[in-house]
Amino acid sequence: MPKTTRTTLTLTALAFTTPALGAASAQTGTQRQMTPEMQARMKAMQPVNDLAQTVRLLPDLEQNKVTALTRAQAKLLLPLLTSIQKATSVQPNDAKKYLTQIEDRILTARQLTALDSLMLKAEQDREARRTQAQRSGQTQGQRVPGLPGGLGILMGGQRPAGQTGQGQGGQGQGGQPGQFNPFKQGRMADQLGAYIKVLQKK
């Protein structure tokens, strides 16, 4: 898959994110601005966010016979997803390696194109929901599962069940990148577990 396309999608996601972040801050009444440190952390966590987004949408490929993974692809993907599932934490560098394996060695060009379309649609849907929430006076922002504290308004998706203001491993907003695994608990963990079972049946 051409890197330009995936870079464009990332920039598109960020374009949706920036105004949403400002609106969410304004709604809280605190007018919180992202500090350089917070921006640096978000940038450092981008590979983990990208991995989370990709893995979250992989099951949607199964809804179309044309893009569903083959038995051979499932055999390659299963060990990788199992490693992610069992990892205590996902480091940004590890997330990059996982993404490279998924995108360059397992998925076909057609599957990657379909995945990109799903990502763009997901961003558009989240933006529509954020706009509707703002109009109705709701103040709860959407967060990336597992992202420490207030740094999670990036990819979308609600905070996993059981998570409070602190990230995994006792890390709160001051947690360092890679000290958590977004696939370890909550909705992301459930979705990953269900998808692994689907692949095992191929």
Side-chain angles (χ1 to χ4, degrees), residues 16 23 30-31 53 59 62 65 67 74 78 86 94 97 100 106 112 114 123 160 163 166 177 193 199-200:
F16 280 121
T30 61
Q31 297 295 329
Q53 176 82 313
E62 300 298 318
K65 291 183 179 180
T67 57
L78 272 171
K86 294 180 178 180
D94 291 335
K97 293 177 182 178
T100 297
I106 298 177
L112 286 171
E123 285 298 336
Q163 274 194 272
Q166 288 193 333
L199 295 179
Q200 288 172 338

Side-chain angles (χ1 to χ4, degrees), residues 19 33 83 92 101 113 116 119 125 128-129 157 164-165 178 200:
Q33 298 296 324
S83 296
Q101 288 180 299
T113 299
D116 287 341
M119 288 181 180
D125 290 344
R129 289 196 298 268
T164 59
Q200 288 172 338

Side-chain angles (χ1 to χ4, degrees), residues 74-140:
K75 187 176 180 179
L76 292 173
L77 186 59
L78 272 171
L80 188 152
L81 294 182
T82 301
S83 296
I84 294 174
Q85 184 184 47
K86 294 180 178 180
T88 301
S89 65
V90 177
Q91 301 288 338
N93 286 340
D94 291 335
K96 290 180 182 179
K97 293 177 182 178
Y98 287 136
L99 278 172
T100 297
Q101 288 180 299
I102 293 173
E103 296 175 357
D104 296 348
R105 302 178 184 176
I106 298 177
L107 299 184
T108 65
R110 176 175 291 181
Q111 289 168 329
L112 286 171
T113 299
L115 195 62
D116 287 341
S117 297
L118 289 168
M119 288 181 180
L120 184 57
K121 183 179 184 300
E123 285 298 336
Q124 292 171 338
D125 290 344
R126 279 192 290 272
E127 177 63 14
R129 289 196 298 268
R130 282 193 287 261
T131 300
Q132 182 61 37
Q134 291 166 17
R135 289 175 179 174
S136 61
Q138 298 177 8
T139 59
Q140 183 177 2

